[in-house]
Amino acid sequence: MASLPRTRLQARILSSEEEEKLQRDQALVSDFKQQKLEQEAQKNWDLFYKRNSTNFFKDRHWTTREFEELRSCRDFAEQKLTMLEAGCGVGNCLFPLLEDDLNIFAYACDFSPRAVEYVKQNPSYDTERCKVFQCDLTADDLLEHVPSESVDAVLLIFVLSAVHPDKMHRVLQNVYQVLKPGRCVLFRDYGLYDHAMLRFKAGSKLGENFYVRQDGTRSYFFTDEFLARLFVDTGYEEVVNEYVLRETVNKKEGLCVPRVFLQSKFRKPPKSPAPTSHDPDPGHTA
Ligand SMILES: C[S@@+](CC[C@H](N)C(=O)[O-])C[C@H]1O[C@@H](n2cnc3c(N)ncnc32)[C@H](O)[C@@H]1O
């Protein structure tokens, strides 16, 4: 996998054929079908795991390397960190992370009951180091499982793209409650014009940059601006927000394909220091 320079200003430039394709495929899926997809989102992901078991996603060993934040948010080397992986799937990110770093305790959740069960059945699942639970991040309160402001880092890895854009802010509000002030959400997901976006057939478009796969699961493709607005409007501060461009070889098609991801870090603002007794009370004018 070759690594190309990162750019903050734009996702990749499309060829004229690619531009034409996107222009051509503008018809949207009917409202009725869209509502059905929203109602059945959980079921469709659960069926995805029924079909693919734990075999679909590769283990993501890059997480600690790329998100050196996980190490750098320690005050001393052996400090225990608490993290939350929201939308953990079957643990492709979670288990490599726990293996890499023995001083992490991880909460992990997903709305697919099957995915949660696969995590529990994984031989590396250890309740001393990990707690997995089922949760719809757009509807259920994380505070039922995770204490308020107790988490040092939240991972959102290829999860927000699966959520309807109208509900994405609910996910960010939900994780905000459990994140310690001054700590970050670490985000990686599909970027605008990723190869996957160009592969959707006509009739798969749900809205701007939002598509449905054959199996009913959906995928949004982020611009850095859209993501920043979403986080900032929920109260976070932007720390890093940049496209990562890669070329991967698709062996089946014998092609080198351009991948675009968005990798970002948004911080919950630190608590402002409590006013000291010397501070004048602005409410009193005497
Ligand atoms: C592409 S998978 C990524 C899984 C994992 N983060 C990884 O990197 O391997 C997206 C996951 O998001 C979960 N998901 C989608 N919408 C969700 C929601 N509203 N609440 C909780 N999980 C959700 C799906 O069940 C699925 O497991």
Side-chain angles (χ1 to χ4, degrees), residues 11 14 22-23 25-28 34 160-165 168 189-194 196-198 200 204-213 218-227 243 262:
L14 295 177
L22 288 183
Q23 282 305 320
D25 299 346
Q26 290 291 342
L28 299 186
Q34 296 227 23
L160 213 55
S161 56
V163 172
H164 192 287
M168 288 177 183
D189 218 319
Y190 300 108
L192 186 72
Y193 304 150
D194 177 48
M197 177 169 169
L198 277 305
F200 280 103
S204 317
K205 189 164 175 166
L206 300 170
E208 198 187 3
N209 306 333
F210 193 39
Y211 295 84
V212 59
R213 302 185 185 92
R218 297 164 301 171
S219 186
Y220 188 85
F221 295 84
F222 290 92
T223 64
D224 52 359
E225 279 179 343
F226 176 89
L227 190 76
Y243 294 110
L262 190 59

Side-chain angles (χ1 to χ4, degrees), residues 15 23 86 88 105 109 116 119 143 211 276-277:
S15 68
Q23 282 305 320
C88 61
F105 178 88
C109 67
V116 169
V119 172
L143 290 176
Y211 295 84
T276 64
S277 53

Side-chain angles (χ1 to χ4, degrees), residues 26-176:
Q26 290 291 342
L28 299 186
V29 169
S30 71
D31 282 352
F32 176 77
K33 180 134 187 255
Q34 296 227 23
Q35 275 172 26
K36 194 158 184 279
L37 287 169
E38 179 58 21
Q39 280 157 11
E40 296 184 347
Q42 180 179 4
K43 185 178 97 184
N44 289 334
W45 272 106
D46 206 52
L47 289 173
F48 169 89
Y49 289 114
K50 185 176 183 191
R51 273 190 309 279
N52 295 296
S53 155
T54 52
N55 304 321
F56 192 82
F57 300 114
K58 288 197 210 117
D59 275 356
R60 306 189 196 277
H61 281 282
W62 44 264
T63 341
T64 355
R65 191 183 63 232
E66 297 270 344
F67 291 129
E68 92 306 327
E69 169 75 13
L70 278 179
R71 294 193 196 287
S72 70
C73 64
R74 286 194 165 90
D75 300 322
F76 55 95
E78 309 282 280
Q79 189 181 1
K80 285 237 177 248
L81 288 186
T82 303
M83 48 157 285
L84 162 70
E85 192 191 354
C88 61
V90 294
N92 295 89
C93 196
L94 176 74
F95 288 115
L97 200 65
L98 288 171
E99 209 174 283
D100 272 11
D101 191 332
L102 295 177
N103 289 314
I104 283 181
F105 178 88
Y107 292 99
C109 67
D110 201 282
F111 74 171
S112 154
R114 262 194 193 89
V116 169
E117 209 39 53
Y118 280 128
V119 172
K120 285 187 180 160
Q121 282 166 13
N122 189 306
S124 304
Y125 185 68
D126 172 0
T127 50
E128 297 280 301
R129 299 201 54 211
C130 185
K131 176 184 165 185
V132 67
F133 54 93
Q134 196 205 334
C135 166
D136 179 346
L137 291 160
T138 67
D140 304 327
D141 194 344
L142 277 171
L143 290 176
E144 283 176 21
H145 301 272
V146 184
S148 171
E149 304 201 330
S150 66
V151 168
D152 295 288
V154 173
L155 292 182
L156 275 181
I157 312 292
F158 295 101
V159 170
L160 213 55
S161 56
V163 172
H164 192 287
D166 290 351
K167 294 190 175 172
M168 288 177 183
H169 67 283
R170 295 197 199 164
V171 176
L172 301 188
Q173 283 163 352
N174 212 350
V175 300
Y176 192 92

Side-chain angles (χ1 to χ4, degrees), residues 173-285:
Q173 283 163 352
N174 212 350
V175 300
Y176 192 92
Q177 306 180 91
V178 298
L179 196 57
K180 289 180 185 168
R183 301 301 200 185
C184 292
V185 175
L186 310 176
F187 172 96
R188 185 172 169 113
D189 218 319
Y190 300 108
L192 186 72
Y193 304 150
D194 177 48
H195 180 66
M197 177 169 169
L198 277 305
R199 285 179 47 124
F200 280 103
K201 300 214 166 71
S204 317
K205 189 164 175 166
L206 300 170
E208 198 187 3
N209 306 333
F210 193 39
Y211 295 84
V212 59
R213 302 185 185 92
Q214 298 278 354
D215 63 6
T217 63
R218 297 164 301 171
S219 186
Y220 188 85
F221 295 84
F222 290 92
T223 64
D224 52 359
E225 279 179 343
F226 176 89
L227 190 76
R229 179 95 344 264
L230 204 61
F231 270 95
V232 169
D233 286 352
T234 318
Y236 296 85
E237 299 164 349
E238 180 181 314
V239 182
V240 181
N241 188 25
E242 60 190 16
Y243 294 110
V244 176
L245 307 181
R246 297 255 193 270
E247 280 187 346
T248 55
V249 179
N250 184 328
K251 287 195 185 126
K252 222 159 134 197
E253 296 174 24
L255 286 175
C256 209
V257 297
R259 303 307 311 260
V260 183
F261 304 113
L262 190 59
Q263 186 157 316
S264 316
K265 194 159 105 180
F266 290 90
R267 186 170 79 140
K268 175 171 175 172
K271 279 221 164 81
S272 39
T276 64
S277 53
H278 302 297
D279 284 343
D281 180 346
H284 287 271
T285 44

